[in-house]
Amino acid sequence: MYFTTQPQYASPQAQKLDEVAVKANFSKTQKEPLDESIAQNPVALTVQQNPKLPVPSISTTISKPPLNTSPKLGHFPYAEADQSQLMTISSYAKHEYQRYEKLHSEAALALMKLIYAARDEGVWIIPVSGFRTIANQEKLFQAQIRKTGSEAAAAKISAPPGYSEHHTGYAIDLADGYYPNQDITINFQQSAAFHWLRQHANEFGFEMSFPPNNPQGVSYEPWHWRFTGSSQARMVFAKVKQVL
């Protein structure tokens, strides 16, 4: 399930948070053509053609646990997922700026169901950023330090490397296809996609990681959602759930 995109310049927030210099200008079609990479995946193809099917239970594994076990600047440590366990769910932007977003298979299939359920109600939810390596997070965090002036300030809006939920393959940043230029900004909360997610995301195993005034002290991120709809995912986020 890929999305047809045309590049345009990104907002400063999106450039800093995910190193995207060019943003997607999404076409206004209700249904996009089936991408060939999804067509090659029989499980994903079945779900895309039959969005009402239940998400199958898929056994996944996480790579070596993180060396650190204590929170840092409000963020909990997470291991980097085994990339062989990830499924490509979408592309974002085009040409040299295009990247392919991935999630653990069980989270990916649940997200496909969520997206199609929303589309049935005229809401267009788009994946923007899924799995992220520790090396990529290091670049993002250093950029935030340069912008904000300190690690503590940077950690309010970006996790230190080794402490991002994106490392797990169970976290996803989402956008509204009918609300251009507002990806990974606070304005996402005004979109139909966000309001739909607030009402229905939990039905598909997703929850907002950083709501207003969250106990971790991280800035409100209406676009950032994590999957907790399986026993494996719940184990990954067990520590953070203890403080909620």
Side-chain angles (χ1 to χ4, degrees), residues 62-71 75-81 134 160-164 167-168 235-236 239:
I62 299 296
S63 59
K64 295 179 181 179
L67 296 178
N68 300 310
T69 58
S70 300
H75 296 271
F76 286 78
Y78 296 104
E80 185 176 299
I134 292 175
Y163 293 82
S164 174
H167 298 330
T168 69
M235 287 176 59
V236 169
K239 288 185 178 180

Side-chain angles (χ1 to χ4, degrees), residues 140-153:
L140 297 178
F141 191 64
Q142 289 302 319
Q144 287 298 335
I145 291 175
R146 291 191 294 271
K147 178 181 178 181
T148 62
S150 70
E151 282 194 348

Side-chain angles (χ1 to χ4, degrees), residues 116-179:
Y116 275 89
R119 191 168 298 174
D120 286 344
E121 299 182 29
V123 178
W124 189 3
I125 296 174
I126 292 176
V128 173
S129 183
F131 168 74
R132 196 179 297 157
T133 66
I134 292 175
N136 285 341
Q137 190 68 27
E138 172 71 26
K139 296 176 183 177
L140 297 178
F141 191 64
Q142 289 302 319
Q144 287 298 335
I145 291 175
R146 291 191 294 271
K147 178 181 178 181
T148 62
S150 70
E151 282 194 348
K156 295 291 184 182
I157 51 180
S158 182
Y163 293 82
S164 174
E165 292 187 349
H166 286 283
H167 298 330
T168 69
Y170 287 113
I172 184 73
D173 293 339
L174 299 171
D176 189 318
Y178 297 120
Y179 206 59

